[in-house]
Amino acid sequence: MSIFEYNGSALVAMVGKNCFAIASDRRLGVNLQTVATDFQRIFKIHEKLYIGLSGLATDAQTMYQRLVFRHKLYQLREERDMKPQTFASLVSALLYEKRFGPYFCQPVIAGLGDDDIPFICTMDCLGAKELAKDFVVSGTASESLYGACESMYKPNMEPEELFETISQALLSSVDRDCLSGWGGHVLLVTPTEVQERTLKARMD
Amino acid sequence: MSRRYDSRTTIFSPEGRLYQVEYAMEAIGNAGAAIGILARDGVVLVGEKKVTSKLLQTSRSTEKMYKIDDHLACAVAGIMSDANILINTARVQAQRYTFAYQEPMPVEQLVQSLCDTKQGYTQFGGLRPFGVSFLFAGWDKNFGFQLYMSDPSGNYSGWKAAAIGANNQAAQSMLKQDYKDEITREEGVQLSLKVLSKTMDSTSLTSEKLELAEIFLEPTGEVKYQVCKPELLEKLLVKYGVTQAAAEST
């Protein structure tokens, strides 16, 4: 089994009308043994910026701690929050620093930029950015997620519909992946509020 | 007489004094004053702004007060460029601690760490000391609200009320008379504004010449650092009757 499949993960982010949603599974495993069913993969950077980190859990946690370090200093010096595009460049740079001994994680970044225009992107473990206008996926269930999102996604969905779509895409994909699942965690972010919900799913 | 022993930071004078450090403290005696007061429910920092040209376009929101971390802030007096370096060092130190221990850095540890940096410039390297004094205000779960004062020598100590910058001795003696243990944050604001208005050189006191910041706990238990907005500060000045010339002219 590859190092990326050691803990198991599933992450997806989607763009809606003036909003975005980011969702993850909740399983933490050690190879085939499930060790936790409440593992947090999506982290808040600031009110309008979230990052999900799939892959090796320890690298995901360390990556997040390093990003908090950098973002806090940025906020203190610039007296404002980082824009999602800038943040994505920072994540990419931090990952590339470890080009010959990388962090085994793949981030999914989602945020509201200037004028609250939604921004999503993903990158590989070395920092190669992939910007998308519709959805991005990551984790052991990524192939299923690509298929589910491609068929379920429509542009300009309202928040409630976006929530339904991303939840169904996540749940149906993790059901075909033995290393991810055990519940789902969805964050729906609009310019005015953030809705956080846990999904009831097949606990296997 | 002292000329022989004051050109290098790294030598003592025959009387056992470090002249460069003392000269650094002289530089601060000419800078804008800052006062800190420890209240039972928070810490109050007030600063006198020295730059008042209309042409100035500041990129930063404050001149005297700086946030170091979510639970820590400081007021400065002295050479601003020296202060910027130290503030940046303090910020990075606080983040490094949080990265290693995943919790906020205790206030005294940060003050100590910064003072160790300052002390280095009085003992080796041949570089001059920093011409800045700080008032650190913060909260941590071990000791609650704290106020520390540090000077160019790298010395620091905890205070219930302290003043740095111009006329700091006069301010300090006024604080000694009027400070009571367990005062509230509101009383602390009133006391600091009163003391500053008496020690400041200017004839009239407006919110343009002052900065007020407080560190306190929100109802949720989170530590908050808040800089007072100019409109609110103006109201407070009127409320406590410290807008001297403005009151006289109306």
Side-chain angles (χ1 to χ4, degrees):
Chain A
M1 218 198 266
S2 105
I3 187 69
F4 290 100
E5 294 163 11
Y6 185 74
N7 293 127
S9 51
L11 271 174
V12 55
M14 279 190 188
V15 167
K17 192 168 178 199
N18 299 323
C19 64
F20 69 84
I22 183 167
S24 76
D25 73 325
R26 305 189 81 203
R27 178 182 178 272
L28 177 74
V30 172
N31 283 331
L32 297 177
Q33 162 90 57
T34 300
V35 166
T37 57
D38 59 356
F39 191 67
Q40 189 192 6
R41 281 201 176 82
I42 300 175
F43 302 99
K44 178 170 135 175
I45 301 292
H46 63 75
E47 284 305 320
K48 293 182 179 175
L49 180 58
Y50 288 79
I51 181 166
L53 290 152
S54 69
L56 196 63
T58 178
D59 283 354
Q61 286 177 336
T62 302
M63 214 29 223
Y64 169 63
Q65 288 163 9
R66 285 192 68 193
L67 288 166
V68 164
F69 183 107
R70 299 291 296 259
H71 184 253
K72 275 228 173 119
L73 285 173
Y74 183 95
Q75 263 181 332
L76 285 167
R77 288 172 187 150
E78 295 266 329
E79 293 187 346
R80 64 185 175 90
D81 291 329
M82 230 191 245
K83 285 189 218 161
Q85 293 85 347
T86 315
F87 183 71
S89 298
L90 172 67
V91 178
S92 173
L94 284 180
L95 289 170
Y96 194 81
E97 263 174 24
K98 306 279 182 195
R99 171 65 176 78
F100 300 108
Y103 289 115
F104 297 115
C105 60
Q106 288 122 322
V108 160
I109 295 159
L112 290 173
D114 285 336
D115 297 324
D116 292 329
I117 297 175
F119 168 87
I120 52 169
C121 90
T122 185
M123 51 192 86
D124 67 5
C125 64
L126 297 178
K129 269 188 276 186
E130 184 204 318
L131 306 168
K133 293 207 175 57
D134 40 18
F135 57 85
V136 288
V137 303
S138 170
T140 50
S142 58
E143 279 159 14
S144 301
L145 278 165
Y146 271 125
C149 292
E150 200 67 63
S151 53
M152 295 186 202
Y153 181 81
K154 311 198 297 279
N156 285 323
M157 282 187 273
E158 293 291 334
E160 296 76 30
E161 204 192 343
L162 183 67
F163 171 76
E164 278 305 314
T165 309
I166 201 174
S167 306
Q168 291 303 323
L170 179 72
L171 289 178
S172 55
S173 307
V174 304
D175 283 349
R176 291 300 279 179
D177 176 24
C178 56
L179 296 172
S180 53
W182 285 87
H185 195 199
V186 185
L187 277 127
L188 197 107
V189 182
T190 63
T192 46
E193 59 160 0
V194 174
Q195 288 173 35
E196 207 174 317
R197 272 177 263 198
T198 316
L199 302 174
K200 235 175 77 152
R202 285 181 63 100
M203 303 304 255
D204 62 359
Chain B
M1 176 205 44
S2 63
R3 281 290 298 147
R4 279 192 216 155
Y5 306 101
D6 64 5
S7 57
R8 281 163 59 187
T9 55
T10 50
I11 50 177
F12 278 111
S13 78
E15 297 93 48
R17 293 157 71 172
L18 289 169
Y19 281 113
Q20 280 299 307
V21 174
E22 290 183 20
Y23 295 162
M25 302 210 218
E26 271 300 306
I28 297 162
N30 299 322
I35 293 179
I37 296 188
L38 182 65
R40 67 160 186 259
D41 56 340
V43 192
V44 178
L45 290 172
V46 183
E48 170 197 353
K49 284 205 264 202
K50 277 278 183 161
V51 274
T52 45
S53 167
K54 272 192 302 187
L55 294 172
L56 253 177
Q57 188 167 43
T58 46
S59 54
R60 287 209 198 96
S61 54
T62 53
E63 182 193 307
K64 304 275 302 172
M65 317 284 169
Y66 294 92
K67 187 173 167 187
I68 308 286
D69 198 352
D70 293 327
H71 64 296
L72 247 175
C74 69
V76 306
I79 303 176
M80 281 320 297
S81 46
D82 287 4
N84 284 335
I85 302 285
L86 285 170
I87 288 164
N88 192 49
T89 308
R91 285 172 173 169
V92 175
Q93 278 166 356
Q95 286 313 306
R96 269 207 210 112
Y97 184 98
T98 303
F99 181 73
Y101 300 102
Q102 289 301 300
E103 56 173 45
M105 188 169 192
V107 186
E108 186 167 356
Q109 275 197 45
L110 175 76
V111 177
Q112 207 161 22
S113 155
L114 202 69
C115 287
D116 287 348
T117 308
K118 288 208 243 183
Q119 188 274 346
Y121 286 76
T122 68
Q123 196 172 25
F124 46 78
L127 303 169
R128 66 163 174 82
F130 289 98
V132 206
S133 273
F134 284 102
L135 284 171
F136 288 101
W139 182 92
D140 61 48
K141 66 180 196 285
N142 301 306
F143 295 109
F145 290 106
Q146 297 150 75
L147 175 70
Y148 293 93
M149 176 165 77
S150 81
D151 61 27
S153 65
N155 248 337
Y156 77 90
S157 44
W159 291 85
K160 294 179 187 173
I164 53 175
N167 293 329
N168 64 329
Q169 272 135 332
Q172 195 84 28
S173 51
M174 257 187 259
L175 286 169
K176 196 165 160 188
Q177 273 185 321
D178 295 332
Y179 180 85
K180 282 182 278 294
D181 281 328
E182 303 291 311
I183 58 167
T184 63
R185 223 183 337 131
E186 209 184 307
E187 288 165 352
V189 170
Q190 185 178 13
L191 177 60
S192 57
L193 288 175
K194 214 176 62 163
V195 170
L196 200 61
S197 71
K198 295 219 176 87
T199 59
M200 265 170 77
D201 284 336
S202 58
T203 46
S204 72
L205 209 57
T206 60
S207 62
E208 278 172 6
K209 298 201 181 118
L210 288 180
E211 268 173 24
L212 168 67
E214 297 170 77
I215 289 211
F216 55 92
L217 285 179
E218 297 258 52
T220 55
E222 232 182 283
V223 193
K224 187 109 198 298
Y225 161 74
Q226 200 172 62
V227 180
C228 192
K229 291 205 178 14
E231 310 85 47
L232 185 56
L233 185 55
E234 196 65 53
K235 284 203 195 110
L236 286 172
L237 289 172
V238 170
K239 182 174 163 191
Y240 298 134
V242 289
T243 47
Q244 308 142 322
E248 282 165 27
S249 62
T250 46

